[in-house]
Amino acid sequence: MRPGRAADPPPQARRPPAVAPVAPESAAPDAPDAPESAAPDAPVTAPVAAPVAADVDVRGLHHTFRPHGSREPVIALDGVDLHVPAGGFVSVVGPSGCGKSTLLRVLAGLLVPTGGTATVGGEDVRGRPGHVAYLPQRDLLLPWRRALANAVLGAELAGVPREEAQRRARPLFERFGLAGFERAWPWELSGGMRQRLALLRTFLLGAPVLVLDEPFAALDAITRRAMYAWLGEVWMDDRRTVLFVTHDVDEALTLADRVVVLSGRPGRVVTEVDVPMPRPRPATVVTEADVVERKRTLLEALGG
Amino acid sequence: MTRAETRGETPRAPRATSAPVPGAPLVAAQDRLAGSEPVAPPVVRGTVAGGTVVRARRSAGRHRARALLARWVPPLLLLAASIGAWELWVIVRRPPAYVLPSPGRIAAAAVDAAPGLPAHTATTLVEAVVGTAAGALAGVAVAVLIASVPLARRTVEPLLVASQTVPMIVLAPLLVLWFGLGLTPKIVVVALIGFFPVAVSTAGGLAGADPDLVDLVRSMGARPGQVLRVVRLPAAIPAFFAGLKIATAYAVAGAVVGEYVAGDRGLGIFITRSSNSFRVDRVFVAVIVIAALSALLYGLVGVAARRATPWLPPTTKERSR
Ligand SMILES: Nc1ncnc2c1ncn2[C@@H]1O[C@H](COP(=O)(O)OP(=O)(O)OP(=O)(O)O)[C@@H](O)[C@H]1O
Ligand SMILES: [Mg+2]
């Protein structure tokens, strides 16, 4: 059962900025390092101002690509309904080419769908970027910026002073296993490091909704499990809404409250599975009988 | 679960400290930029044992010296052989000096003209540099206009191409008529020549920026001006320099064409006077100076291009070293 619109929190009067504004106390010139020195063990999320929770709601989403030339139009999404409650963590799995990235691009405001609605915190986001922190499927980094400058890109676009943005970013480099690589150029990083940097940048955006397109696809199994633990912890700390696309059923079951399965192209929701396991979840959670049962349901829905 | 465990310190540690892998290309990149790049070495370096870095750098230095030799020896040999053949030809066939002077005679003329040449060269150099700078500035401005305003692309682009079909020889006398006898008409000639390759190349670079990168910054709420500044302009820097190189290659010759029409100083004037008095040896001297100036400017633009794009990975050849 999905909560109806009436049960949702009332739409925000104004949408929260995509990037957290400068915290007033840290702007004080006399105590530039106060937050770190005062609480070295503060949660990782401390540098980012706590975002206002917002839900994601997609109704009857339909998108047809009409390529130039004589090629046939491609129906990527055909009536997708999806709800992520404020502070919820929903995973979307589905076969390659079923429209998962298309769905996320709509939510990021980059693609105006040919049908249906998409709202974040009650606000229409079709063709309006800036409402969510979006991590594209490719580990896109600006090649002409060093790692640290890439990480603070969002803050810089929002007008946060450079030093302030970098001060927030540095602790996360440690956390993401990127310490010492702050001044490296993107081509000097491994594929997994690039992906972690892109995720770090997305996280720093401080938007109330994270929309992640296969963020761990390029990571080895060990690093990946470490990132699950990290993401789970961070999510429990500040309960940002997360919509997470993956190919990996185990990944979805480890991380999400609910897993949504899309059919092959054109994408439709085939089934939804709740995952009410307690957190933090160890990596072995996928071997628990309850979870194995859910995995069977998901794999069957995926036609495996 | 303790914090250290959740961080996954243990599994990631080997990745972060196995620096020889990321470190090796870094050393190569650093050497590539040696002498031209004042940036502090990347922090990664600190994790490499000092000795390894020094040894790697020294061997890279030797490699560089050998590469330099390999690059310059063959063309210099070819040049020497050509000059020898030329000298021989003149000795055997004895053409009149006003048709083909011998290299030796040209060298003598160079010594002879040495006191007067620097002033002429300086004038031409100023025209070439100022003209190219002005042309490049205008080229970038038009490129940005074309890239940001669709209407401008449709209206300006065809005119741009059409403007290039007017030969400079036709235009130069008109420019003298409009701008007088001073430096201005020559600078305008050079600017007009340089404008086109810079505008076309830069416009291509701006338009060719990775659309996914554009989408990425748009998803962060970037305004069009910010997309231009953060993505399109940096993406277009290599293309801009490619255009600027072409502009520079033609700049000195363009200034000389401008001087042919009118003026009282410059290599073009020097050539006209020498040619009028049948001093073909002096004409050759001026031609050599023009070629050297062009090569020098071209090389400087190449250095500037590399300094402006420190983020570019070393070429495949350098990387496999
Ligand atoms: N810009 C585009 N123009 C035309 N067709 C497109 C475009 N983007 C995506 N498509 C098509 O839409 C369909 C869905 O693409 P999408 O990228 O959303 O799939 P996906 O589910 O993310 O796949 P994967 O798991 O492989 O990343 C595909 O058939 C693809 O060919
Ligand atoms: Mg995809």
Side-chain angles (χ1 to χ4, degrees), chain B residues 175-235:
Chain B
L175 292 174
V176 171
L177 219 68
W178 296 339
F179 296 108
L181 297 174
L183 291 186
T184 317
K186 289 101 180 175
I187 289 172
V188 173
V189 168
V190 176
L192 284 176
I193 290 173
F195 164 76
F196 186 69
V198 172
V200 170
S201 190
T202 308
L206 291 170
D210 185 344
D212 287 343
L213 282 181
V214 172
D215 271 357
L216 173 76
V217 297
R218 284 214 309 126
S219 84
M220 296 175 176
R223 286 168 273 111
Q226 289 180 309
V227 174
L228 184 71
R229 183 173 58 79
V230 176
V231 179
R232 292 199 186 279
L233 282 175

Side-chain angles (χ1 to χ4, degrees), chain A residues 171-256:
Chain A
L172 286 176
F173 270 75
E174 178 89 23
R175 204 59 210 273
F176 276 67
L178 292 168
F181 287 88
E182 288 86 348
R183 287 184 55 78
W185 295 110
W187 63 266
E188 292 168 338
L189 303 176
S190 74
M193 292 165 87
R194 292 170 55 95
Q195 211 169 30
R196 278 177 278 154
L197 179 56
L199 182 62
L200 191 162
R201 175 191 64 202
T202 312
F203 184 76
L204 269 176
L205 287 174
V209 176
L210 298 175
V211 164
L212 313 175
D213 201 346
E214 303 191 25
F216 304 140
L219 302 184
D220 60 284
I222 297 169
T223 313
R224 196 187 282 219
R225 273 199 291 279
M227 296 309 283
Y228 294 168
W230 174 82
L231 187 58
E233 189 185 328
V234 159
W235 181 76
M236 297 223 317
D237 276 345
D238 71 355
R239 291 283 168 162
R240 283 202 246 178
T241 313
V242 180
L243 184 61
F244 185 103
V245 163
T246 176
H247 274 131
D248 186 335
V249 172
D250 282 348
E251 184 166 286
L253 287 167
T254 310
L255 290 168

